[in-house]
Amino acid sequence: VKFTSKNLHHFFFFVSIKAAVLIQRWYRQYAARMEVRRRYTWNIFQSMEYADLQDQIKLYNFLGYLMDNFTRSSSERKLISHIFRENEVCRDAEWERYFSYTNIDVPDIYCGPRLTFPLDMDQVADLVEAFKNKQQLHSRYVLQLLLETWKLLRVLPNINRVSTCHSKEITICGDLHGQLEDLLLIFYKNGMPSLEKPYVFNGDFVDRGKDSMEILLILFAFLLVYPGNVYLNRGNHEDHIINLRYGFTKEVLSKYKLHGKRILKLLQKIFSWLPLVTVIDQRVLIVHGGVSDTTDLALIARVDRHKYVSALRPPKKKTPSRINVYANSEHFHEMINCKNTTGSLTFPKPFGARESFQRRSLQDFSSTMARALEGEFEVRRRQAEFSLSSFSKSHNILSTTLSPDSEPDSSQFTDTSNDEWKQILDLLWSDPMSQDGCIPNEVRGGGCYWGPDVTEDFLNRHNLQLIIRSHECKQDGYEFCHNRKVLTLFSASNYYEVGSNRGAFIRLGPDLVPYFVQYRATSMTRGLSFPQNVKRTEHTALKALRELLFVHKSDLLSAFQEIDKENTGLICLNDWGSAIERVLHLDLPWQVLHPQIVSSTKDGKLNYQGWFHDLALKKPRSEHIEQTMLETLYRHRSTLETIFRIVDTDNSGFITFEDFRQTLKLLSAYLKMEISDEVINELVISTDTNNDGSIDIDEFMEAFRLVDKSRLERGKSLLKLKQDFLEIYW
Amino acid sequence: MADKYSADTIITETQKRISNAFDVFDHESNKTVDVREIGTIIRSLGCFPSEADLHDIIAELEEEEPTGFVRYEKFLPTMTKILLERKFRPITEDLLLQAFEVLDQQKKGHLEPEELTKYLTQEGEPFTQEEMDEMLSAAVDPDKNVILYKDFVSMMTFDDTR
């Protein structure tokens, strides 16, 4: 073939197409493998998130159980009773006094915004600008703003009704979770709320992110300026019990050292007054969690929503419930720590088969328990004396009966409030599922899973056409399901980790067709390419997973040894995967994940002792405190921290030695694990670095943060314990 | 042991891999996956099919009346055959490099983003804008704003071996 320039040109053209195809083929393969990694990274984060949430509910149930069943004088109960003190409905004047801010002086050096009420748009714009510049609003103005907000919320109905008439487009945002950057990005892209620009915010404004307070202040400020154009729905995180664990309480106390406690108390009240749902044009429902097969908007419209300060606890009865019967300790722990399912609310065998309970929720747990325990009453009375370990001492208290003239009470609350409470729980906690039906949401521990048939039925009954909800993080910021009749909207980008997901908001015009805008707050992701995003997120997820595996070492070892009866030290991958699933209760694709967490296998078998060794760089030396003890404390550090914060009644960030001791006793009862006095003393002494007889909660929890190599090299002085046992490097 | 390498073992191992990969995408745990994910699943098992190849495979896997889903019973035999016959072999680093060199007509040692974009979005089995953007985000050297394809190829293939 003669190579004329034309031929050459054709030849090149032909070859270049082949080259292009090759590159495309190769890249698509690479992208597919990235996608798989992204998927299971997502799975890891989500299952760990839900497992953690379950834990919180379990803890709360445990504390509730203590409340109902301990004597008033028991020290444990005294420690925690304050969180259950419901806000009594009292006269406005009293509350206004509590809100009082007039005697709080604002120093001259304060250069943040100075608000005057009634607020106007300029002030709000200044407020947003101030927060953008990392300023903090003075507590005097915070309290004032909260007071005005409360006054307004009290007159709002349970159901916000909005109209798109006047061709107004309504902007709807999902979970923000304290991520101020995302809210600012939304305002940047879409404009701030105004008379022409109504907004609906669908709950979960707080927790996890670091600027929950600022988000609340901004949203409340807009609400005050445009009460007819800004609508807030309550989310499951607008709940002080949840806030104790997920960071909001901590944030407020650290930002407002003097008045934080008061602010938190007021917010408890304000959260309970937030409306429950929003309806647009009588056609579209906006609610934070979702619906169940019993959700009835007419009923919702009538409830006294402010009675439900925390969605986790049913409203108090008028007469105090004095249920005075106990299970023995075994029974009790079986109830609290059911290992037979992933749910936290399963009834153990003694109460009957699972199937006999159609609709379980938190309420059923306590009331049925009460009924069943009546029979145990007499038996327990006789078991007054126990052995002398401190563990048993707390169980001694557990088994002590209450005042003899109180009667066993089989139901804690009236039926009406029971129903109402369940309705609210369903609205705030439920998730959609793909199968038909409606089952209790055991992953989260509250609300239900509802199917497409329930959606269909619900929409028909109420003459609606679409449910917009939030509550679940979605990779692209939003996701349809149930034949596009349910839309999940999530506005916190990079939620699990930088690069994990986009956020989204929607605009809804009179045609009620959602228009989506997606975004990602970029300050952290600037300069990261797509594969880098995936890898970074994956790295974080795997790190968390390895840590989880490491702290379950004892249980895993037992599980492995049970399988490896001949003590070869080896286990095949299949068995490895099922053992982990049994111990951790995390539904993850272990087979697919194994190359990431197992460095080498021989003939398809894993040396599990060696594997644990790989997971932790430093081999634990035997010290006064056993490996399993520290492992346990580490594993339950969130719970421990939550209990600390509960115990710290004056929200000072410090607790006394005595309270610290009591906390660990509480934890030991909850975990069914003995924590001896020697251990506690050891911990106390090593933690009290100030030598002033009190323990700094943050400093103690510092011991349980993942210590990565670089931090260690910076030489922060830590507990000797931390260094020996809790380093996990990679 | 001799039977370690027997055909049976290989088939079982292969099918286990297929089953695991399938499960990751089986969102409803009912042994079906969305047909649009088939490409990702096949590639995650180490194959390098072209879009045309996928098109054919999907045609084979779909039901007589397409439901938008692929059942595991159909997927398993098809995929087993693909893996055992080693169809859609990986593209080697050398071959990939050659492909880039072909596109680099002037032998500059690098490609401009616009050049590469033109080839990959207009020729062969064109990329979508999203695919192109993703690739560029990883390929373009941020300082020089060109694609140093030799480095890019080594970096990406190094990643693969992990």
Side-chain angles (χ1 to χ4, degrees), chain A residues 13 16-28, chain B residues 43 50-52 54 116-133 135:
Chain A
F13 184 66
S16 73
I17 295 185
K18 291 201 84 176
V21 172
L22 198 87
I23 295 174
Q24 287 153 346
R25 188 154 66 97
W26 162 78
Y27 184 76
R28 284 179 169 127
Chain B
R43 286 173 170 135
S50 67
E51 295 295 288
L54 279 183
L116 190 61
T117 302
K118 192 181 69 146
Y119 284 122
L120 297 182
T121 57
Q122 290 175 17
E123 314 220 347
E125 295 180 323
F127 273 169
T128 62
Q129 190 55 47
E130 207 183 328
E131 283 175 306
M132 195 66 238
D133 289 341
M135 184 181 182

Side-chain angles (χ1 to χ4, degrees), chain A residues 339-452:
Chain A
K339 291 216 197 290
N340 45 354
T341 67
T342 52
S344 55
L345 306 169
T346 321
F347 288 82
K349 305 286 187 330
F351 290 164
R354 267 181 77 164
E355 297 69 56
S356 63
F357 295 101
Q358 297 293 319
R359 308 300 322 290
R360 283 195 304 285
S361 65
L362 292 156
Q363 63 188 72
D364 294 337
F365 175 67
S366 39
S367 62
T368 312
M369 191 165 69
R371 280 195 291 277
L373 293 175
E374 283 166 34
E376 302 266 342
F377 182 86
E378 276 309 307
V379 179
R380 292 313 121 219
R381 280 202 99 138
R382 282 180 244 127
Q383 288 188 0
E385 292 308 317
F386 267 66
S387 65
L388 298 169
S389 72
S390 57
F391 180 57
S392 301
K393 256 197 234 145
S394 22
H395 278 272
N396 207 4
I397 295 171
L398 263 179
S399 63
T400 305
T401 56
L402 301 175
S403 66
D405 24 293
S406 54
E407 285 138 34
D409 205 348
S410 56
S411 67
Q412 275 181 280
F413 30 76
T414 67
D415 277 334
T416 330
S417 64
N418 195 7
D419 284 336
E420 286 182 358
W421 176 56
K422 183 186 180 302
Q423 293 268 337
I424 295 183
L425 204 59
D426 287 340
L427 289 178
L428 267 36
W429 282 81
S430 302
D431 289 312
M433 65 175 174
S434 46
Q435 298 97 323
D436 279 344
C438 192
I439 57 177
N441 190 330
E442 291 181 343
V443 172
R444 292 202 196 251
C448 70
Y449 280 122
W450 88 91

Side-chain angles (χ1 to χ4, degrees), chain A residues 346-617:
Chain A
T346 321
F347 288 82
K349 305 286 187 330
F351 290 164
R354 267 181 77 164
E355 297 69 56
S356 63
F357 295 101
Q358 297 293 319
R359 308 300 322 290
R360 283 195 304 285
S361 65
L362 292 156
Q363 63 188 72
D364 294 337
F365 175 67
S366 39
S367 62
T368 312
M369 191 165 69
R371 280 195 291 277
L373 293 175
E374 283 166 34
E376 302 266 342
F377 182 86
E378 276 309 307
V379 179
R380 292 313 121 219
R381 280 202 99 138
R382 282 180 244 127
Q383 288 188 0
E385 292 308 317
F386 267 66
S387 65
L388 298 169
S389 72
S390 57
F391 180 57
S392 301
K393 256 197 234 145
S394 22
H395 278 272
N396 207 4
I397 295 171
L398 263 179
S399 63
T400 305
T401 56
L402 301 175
S403 66
D405 24 293
S406 54
E407 285 138 34
D409 205 348
S410 56
S411 67
Q412 275 181 280
F413 30 76
T414 67
D415 277 334
T416 330
S417 64
N418 195 7
D419 284 336
E420 286 182 358
W421 176 56
K422 183 186 180 302
Q423 293 268 337
I424 295 183
L425 204 59
D426 287 340
L427 289 178
L428 267 36
W429 282 81
S430 302
D431 289 312
M433 65 175 174
S434 46
Q435 298 97 323
D436 279 344
C438 192
I439 57 177
N441 190 330
E442 291 181 343
V443 172
R444 292 202 196 251
C448 70
Y449 280 122
W450 88 91
D453 57 336
V454 177
T455 296
E456 197 63 42
D457 178 61
F458 174 82
L459 292 175
N460 287 337
R461 266 191 292 127
H462 293 92
N463 224 346
L464 299 166
Q465 68 190 51
L466 174 66
I467 299 175
I468 299 178
R469 43 91 61 176
S470 303
H471 199 39
E472 282 181 295
C473 184
K474 294 294 176 192
Q475 210 147 43
D476 291 316
Y478 74 93
E479 190 175 276
F480 277 107
C481 66
H482 293 191
N483 277 324
R484 293 182 79 89
K485 302 255 176 86
V486 174
L487 170 63
T488 302
L489 184 62
F490 198 81
S491 301
S493 67
N494 301 326
Y495 179 62
Y496 289 124
E497 167 57 275
V498 171
S500 66
N501 65 290
R502 287 190 280 185
F505 63 88
I506 62 178
R507 289 203 285 265
L508 212 61
D511 59 358
L512 298 182
V513 172
Y515 171 79
F516 299 92
V517 179
Q518 296 159 299
Y519 54 85
R520 201 195 289 272
T522 53
S523 72
M524 289 184 285
T525 61
R526 197 162 293 136
L528 282 187
S529 68
F530 155 66
Q532 278 176 316
N533 257 344
V534 175
K535 279 184 233 160
R536 189 197 167 121
T537 317
E538 184 189 36
H539 179 77
T540 305
L542 290 173
K543 193 167 163 177
L545 197 57
R546 283 191 205 109
E547 176 199 319
L548 198 63
L549 291 166
F550 181 71
V551 298
H552 283 83
K553 178 176 167 181
S554 317
D555 288 340
L556 284 171
L557 256 182
S558 319
F560 293 154
Q561 278 160 349
E562 226 180 272
I563 298 170
D564 177 27
K565 297 217 160 54
E566 288 148 40
N567 229 349
T568 61
L570 298 172
I571 187 172
C572 79
L573 282 173
N574 250 347
D575 291 333
W576 171 84
S578 11
I580 293 190
E581 174 125 15
R582 272 203 311 279
V583 171
L584 288 188
H585 298 300
L586 279 183
D587 183 19
L588 292 174
W590 295 105
Q591 302 282 16
V592 174
L593 284 175
H594 90 257
Q596 305 287 12
I597 32 189
V598 173
S599 51
S600 66
T601 56
K602 205 168 175 213
D603 302 333
K605 282 188 177 254
L606 160 69
N607 171 350
Y608 51 86
Q609 295 278 14
W611 177 57
F612 280 121
H613 194 258
D614 285 339
L615 280 181
L617 190 61

